[in-house]
Amino acid sequence: MLLGLVLVAAGLVTTAGSATAEPTGPGMNIRPPGHGDVWLGALAPPPGSGTGELLWCIQGRMMPPNASSVVVASSAVDDPVLAAAVAAHQHVETVEMRAALSYLVHTRHQIPGTMVGGDAAEAARLISQGTPDAIKDLAASVISGAAANAGPYAGASPVVQTGDSRTGRVDGVALLSAAGTPQAGKPFTLTLEGPAVWDETGTNELRGTTGAQALSFGWTATGNGLVTYRASFGDLGRVTLTRMVFSGAVQEVLTYGNRAAIDPREVTSPPAEFEVVRDFQPEITTRVASTFVAKGDPMVDIVTAAAAAGDQWATVGGAPVALVARGTLYGPYASQPAESATVPDGAPVVGSETLTFAGPSTQHSPGTLSATGSGYYTWVWEFDKEAQAPDVRPYVRASFAHPFGQVVETSIVPFAFQVRTEVADTVVEKGDRFVDRVTAEPVAGDLWLHHADGSPVELSATGTLYGPFVAQPAESAVAPADAPVVTTETLVFSGPGTLDSPGETVATSSGYYTWVWEIRSAEQPVRSQPYITGDFVDTFGLVAETHVVPFQPEAVTERADRVVDDGTPLVDHVTASVVEGDLWLEARGAGPVEVMFEGTAYGPFLRPSEEGGQIPAGAPVAGTERLTFSAPGTQTTAGEVLATGPGFYTWVWRVVVDDQPVDLQDYVADDWSDDFMIPIETSTVLHQVEHLSVAREYNVVPGGRAFDTIRITGMAPDHGEFEGLAEWVPDVRTATVRAYGPVVEVPSGAEVPEGTPVLWEGTVEARNGVFHVGYDDDHPVSPTEPGHYVFVYSVEGDDRVEAYTSRFDDVLERFYVPGLPEVELPLQVVTQATPTAVVGEPFGDTALVTGTVPDGAYLVFEAFGPQDPDEVPVCEAAFFTSERVEVPGPGYYASGDTTVDRPGAVYWVESLYSSGDELLHRGECGIPSETTLVTEAPDEPVVEEAADVLVDLPGPVPSEEVPTPDPAPAGVLAATGAGVAALILGAALLLIGVLAALAARRRGGPTS
């Protein structure tokens, strides 16, 4: 009312009264900027429009249709919201509402006209600009309100409530706007196609009018089958406006009339289908309460009874009918039984139980059945129609039993297992594999199970090999924490049986090795764990589960002495051990294994040979010794093997398995032997030089020549040919002969005094033989100075011959160059007894008397013994006294021969008396040169014939050997050729030489 007053006051309100297509009813003129009046209101339809509905201008400032205007074209304009607004408000005859509707038409559907050069958008903007705000606000409210009820329209999707499939409802009967607003007052028709009727009509058709809310209608089944619900709705509001084009230069218009064919008048809801029943099919779905059940525990099934899908449990007198279900438990099976519609013939039966269902529900079976052994146990439940109460049977369509062997209906009782183990071989040689033999099987009454897919349950057994140990380890429930682990191996059992371990580890060192096997349920493959129960762990240290790898003894040996005296023990040091990585084992039930090492001393050999593993055929054996070791260590032989002559002796030690005690042989891996002729296992007994030399004459005039004959025996027959080997040095090739002198005193003592002058030096071959010295004219032994001289033979030692130097006081090797006759030389007596003799063989003593001998002097020789050579010499009771031996002057004198009947040392003592029996000289008891060593005669005496050899002394060789003095009969020896006369002559010549030298010195001339 207030808005109307405002508009009237503004002069905008008018009322059209023309009956032609001119403004009709209330409305107003507005003046867009820059333009004349534009009518905001409805137009009356001209007679030729074919509609009785109002027209709405869409071209401002153009002439409206008139009575003569004819519709020449029409089309549908899709604007459901504007159509709903026009339908709801076009008959509201107020200026404001008519102006608001006209404003909405112009601004939403303005087309080019005369305004602004035909720019429709600009024209609409100018019309909006010229429209009062109150009209525009009303238009906005109208269009907003129309949106909730605008099309397109649709029947709501029904919701069919089937209930028990015998009765139900269809909810959601409604005609909805595009915004989902129910449209009230619209006619509908509902149809049920199938065995059901509407509760309101008792037929399959129901008519009515929609309401402001969705409607709901009940239905009842008349049989069993499929029912289709259908719904249709009529008298729909328009979703378009009709655009009309007239003849003549008049504007185009929109109208709610003249509905286009594309604008629907009726719609249907989506159809809905549902099943209905009168009787029902009971069914059972089941599952075991526990898939895995311990042996002896109740076997419980969870049983759910219900009507089949689409059915409803029948009720009688308002209460559900009661049905009895029977369940039978079949088993045991080793694997999941195959599913089948019926129970196989002969299926083992554990027992059966019953449950009563008064309507759909879930129950647990009573649990009166249990399993005594492992396996698969499967339930089969059934509703047997004929077993039901007679008054219930008509409501049961048919009997029902679920299939046999369903996985969900099967319980599994895990199996317990037992294991036996033993080593494949008690004794394992190095390089062989450790193999254990393991047997796994179910306990009595159990089955080895399979998975549901049919594959066998796998048991993984883990074996740990411990070792090495010195002795059989003690049994214990668990392995000691510090037990060394050699390896771990795995066996996978797919059923009962015996498997050998893979043998992935090779024995490399001796010792006891023991297996411990275990099967722990918690460590099995995840899919296997539920199928087994219990654990198995082997006892540590079982004898049956223990290998023995024998140890290999060996030894490092070394002779006690490199050089051994003949007849003395050949002693060896033996250090026993085991090869690297091995242990010295203890025998089962006993102490350490005792190993016997046998050593054989071979020899004597003339020379050493190359070290090697082969012992020469026919090698001489000096003896054997045995040593027993119970642990690594060093022992020394007892010295029972003696050297039996000069040469080389070598030890060879060995361990022979078959020579060990029978009960210990398995602990020793193999025979062992060291090499033959190992240098540190070889000793030498040196050959002893035997030297017998005689100077050809005792007295030699100054400027004359001395000669010596040397006889050497006792060396190796091939001495001089050995070139050396390993630590053994080559043979020395030469011996040295020296003539020492002159010395004033008669040479005494074995050793050459330091500083003694050397007259002459030469060499001879270092071998057995006879050598003549002094016969080389280019290198003569020619003394010029008066005094005593002696030949000394010397050979350096090597590894086959002992070093030897003849005695400095060897009486047979002396010669003398006298001085002037007036010179009185001191009286001296030097003796040389036969060095060695054999029992029963003659021997004697020889004395060399030098110096001034008184007239009438004589010698007496005495022999004492035989005595033990190791005891202190005793010269008290002579067993031999020589005849009186006259000594007319210097020279050699022999005692005469004697013999003895037993071995021992014979000591000679010489006595020199004057003619008046005054003792001028007496020898010393026990000196070496006066000792004869008497030995037992050998079984087969060996005679060495030494050849006359001249070495390094070129010159003429005497036509015959210089004879040695004949020791018998007692008396004067040949006094070096010229006798006493020569001695006097020599003394005179010496005196003349001395005087001449003194005279030359006085004159200052040379002395030599």
Side-chain angles (χ1 to χ4, degrees), residues 101-284:
L101 291 176
S102 181
Y103 167 78
L104 290 171
V105 171
H106 272 294
T107 57
R108 292 167 74 91
H109 295 285
Q110 182 74 21
I111 65 174
T114 59
M115 289 182 65
V116 292
D119 186 343
E122 180 62 15
R125 188 186 70 77
L126 293 175
I127 291 172
S128 176
Q129 188 174 352
T131 300
D133 288 339
I135 298 302
K136 291 190 283 187
D137 291 342
L138 178 60
S141 174
V142 167
I143 202 69
S144 174
N149 295 299
Y153 302 98
S157 297
V159 177
V160 179
Q161 304 290 345
T162 57
D164 59 4
S165 299
R166 289 175 177 76
T167 60
R169 301 188 64 79
V170 176
D171 296 334
V173 178
L175 177 67
L176 303 178
S177 68
T181 303
Q183 303 297 298
K186 302 299 181 181
F188 64 79
T189 299
L190 306 181
T191 304
L192 296 176
E193 298 176 357
V197 295
W198 295 109
D199 291 343
E200 289 189 15
T201 64
T203 67
N204 63 350
E205 185 175 277
L206 172 65
R207 295 178 180 272
T209 302
T210 60
Q213 301 295 329
L215 303 178
S216 179
F217 300 96
W219 57 266
T220 298
T222 58
N224 300 334
L226 181 68
V227 175
T228 301
Y229 160 81
R230 301 183 188 277
S232 63
F233 299 88
D235 194 19
L236 303 184
R238 290 194 65 177
V239 295
T240 66
L241 292 173
T242 300
R243 177 180 172 181
M244 304 176 71
V245 179
F246 291 92
S247 60
V250 296
Q251 60 179 292
E252 296 181 18
V253 297
L254 297 182
T255 183
Y256 193 76
N258 290 10
R259 189 171 195 155
I262 64 172
D263 197 340
R265 298 176 182 274
E266 183 180 84
V267 294
T268 60
S269 294
E273 294 182 343
F274 57 95
E275 292 284 345
V276 298
V277 294
R278 185 170 180 272
D279 56 10
F280 79 103
Q281 177 62 56
E283 292 182 349
I284 296 174

Side-chain angles (χ1 to χ4, degrees), residues 77 147 224 226 429 431 499 548 584 590 685-686 695 808 813 823 929 955:
V77 176
N224 300 334
L226 181 68
E429 301 294 340
L499 298 177
V548 178
W584 194 293
V685 175
L686 300 176
F808 181 65
E813 284 285 77
V823 178
S929 63

Side-chain angles (χ1 to χ4, degrees), residues 894-982:
S895 64
D897 290 340
T898 186
T899 62
V900 294
D901 58 0
R902 67 182 188 279
V906 174
Y907 301 110
W908 293 88
V909 177
E910 84 282 3
S911 299
L912 181 62
Y913 295 91
S914 69
S915 60
D917 297 324
E918 177 185 358
L919 182 62
L920 301 177
H921 165 83
R922 182 171 176 80
E924 188 176 346
C925 178
I927 64 175
S929 63
E930 281 289 85
T931 302
T932 299
L933 185 60
V934 181
T935 59
E936 292 284 0
D939 294 336
E940 293 181 10
V942 178
V943 178
E944 288 194 17
E945 294 185 1
D948 292 345
V949 180
L950 177 64
V951 181
D952 293 336
L953 296 176
V957 179
S959 60
E960 61 184 47
E961 182 181 339
V962 177
T964 57
D966 186 358
V972 179
L973 291 172
T976 64
V980 177

Side-chain angles (χ1 to χ4, degrees), residues 862-899:
E862 295 174 287
F864 303 87
Q867 301 178 27
D868 187 341
D870 293 329
E871 295 180 357
V872 177
V874 177
C875 298
E876 294 179 351
F879 72 89
F880 169 83
T881 302
S882 72
E883 298 292 331
R884 176 171 169 159
V885 179
E886 298 296 328
V887 182
Y892 293 99
Y893 300 90
S895 64
D897 290 340
T898 186
T899 62

Side-chain angles (χ1 to χ4, degrees), residues 739-810:
Y740 288 95
V743 295
V744 175
E745 300 294 332
V746 174
S748 62
E751 303 294 331
V752 178
E754 186 177 354
T756 301
V758 176
L759 170 66
W760 179 91
E761 181 176 324
T763 60
V764 296
E765 292 183 77
R767 62 176 179 81
N768 295 329
V770 176
F771 305 94
H772 301 286
V773 176
Y775 293 92
D776 184 357
D777 291 339
D778 293 331
H779 191 46
V781 183
S782 181
T784 58
E785 299 292 329
H788 295 274
Y789 295 83
V790 64
F791 284 104
V792 175
Y793 173 91
S794 176
V795 62
E796 293 181 5
D798 54 38
D799 285 332
R800 297 210 294 165
V801 67
E802 188 166 14
Y804 175 79
T805 300
S806 63
R807 295 178 64 89
F808 181 65
D809 59 0
D810 186 348

Side-chain angles (χ1 to χ4, degrees), residues 842-856:
F843 61 95
D845 195 11
T846 301
L848 173 61
V849 180
T850 60
T852 303
V853 180
D855 294 337

